[in-house]
Amino acid sequence: MSDTDIPGRVQAELTRLRAERQVFTAEQDRLKAKLAETEHELREATSAASDEDESAAVHEKLASQQEELDVAKARLQALEAEVLLAHQQRDSLRAELKTCREERDKLRLALLDAELVVSAGVVDADVLPGGEPSADRQRLLNAERLAAEMARELDATRRTVSWRVTAPLRVVRKKMDRP
């Protein structure tokens, strides 16, 4: 059946329906395009919201790490101050130790001098009020020390094997030197 076989009223209705169908199809295409555009915008918004959520999470993490960095910096500064204080205390203690050692050495020398005086049996009458012996007394002490040292050396020499082996030769020589 062709369009010419259809009565006029039906044909008018058919033409109207075809026009409506075109309008509805155009409207459907427009709505499909709008739906596709809206879906695209929704995906972008969701992605942006996701990016914003990620951005917020990254921002929170960054803020947390910044706080940790600030705490670490403060701790580092405190530790540096402690190290500086420890170095200052160490230097102070080293200086004090040096002073103590010098004083100890002086006291040891004074003790040795006193032991020498006591071993020599010398009376402390010649010691000046400051604890130092007078010049004459000092010379006497030095001479006594030198004599004691030489006596020890002579005794050590006499105890050697070579001295004992050559003893008979010295006796013979002494007898020959006598008239």
Side-chain angles (χ1 to χ4, degrees), residues 117-166:
V117 168
V118 168
S119 69
V122 177
V123 182
D124 290 334
D126 291 335
V127 177
L128 297 175
E132 292 292 321
S134 65
D136 291 336
R137 180 77 180 135
Q138 188 66 34
R139 274 186 264 137
L140 177 65
L141 289 174
N142 288 338
E144 287 175 348
R145 272 189 234 146
L146 183 60
E149 186 179 324
M150 292 175 116
R152 282 192 299 272
E153 261 184 59
L154 182 59
D155 185 47
T157 303
R158 288 183 177 161
R159 281 185 273 134
T160 63
V161 172
S162 64
W163 183 266
R164 286 182 284 167
V165 167
T166 59

Side-chain angles (χ1 to χ4, degrees), residues 1-20:
M1 215 177 199
S2 72
D3 285 344
T4 53
D5 294 339
I6 301 177
R9 206 172 207 215
V10 176
Q11 195 170 3
E13 185 67 24
L14 185 62
T15 304
R16 184 184 64 75
L17 286 174
R18 284 182 183 156
E20 272 184 27

Side-chain angles (χ1 to χ4, degrees), residues 76-122:
L76 175 65
Q77 289 175 346
L79 289 174
E80 285 175 344
E82 286 180 26
V83 166
L84 181 63
L85 180 62
H87 283 292
Q88 290 172 345
Q89 288 175 343
R90 178 201 63 200
D91 294 342
S92 171
L93 290 172
R94 281 182 177 169
E96 187 177 339
L97 178 62
K98 182 181 177 188
T99 304
C100 288
R101 284 181 176 163
E102 289 171 355
E103 185 177 341
R104 177 202 64 196
D105 292 342
K106 286 179 184 176
L107 289 173
R108 279 184 177 169
L109 288 174
L111 179 63
L112 287 173
D113 287 342
E115 287 175 350
L116 286 173
V117 168
V118 168
S119 69
V122 177

Side-chain angles (χ1 to χ4, degrees), residues 41-64:
E41 287 176 3
L42 180 61
R43 275 190 233 111
E44 285 181 359
T46 305
S47 173
S50 167
D51 289 346
E52 287 176 9
D53 289 344
E54 288 177 16
S55 175
V58 167
H59 184 68
E60 279 183 34
K61 189 174 181 179
L62 182 62
S64 171

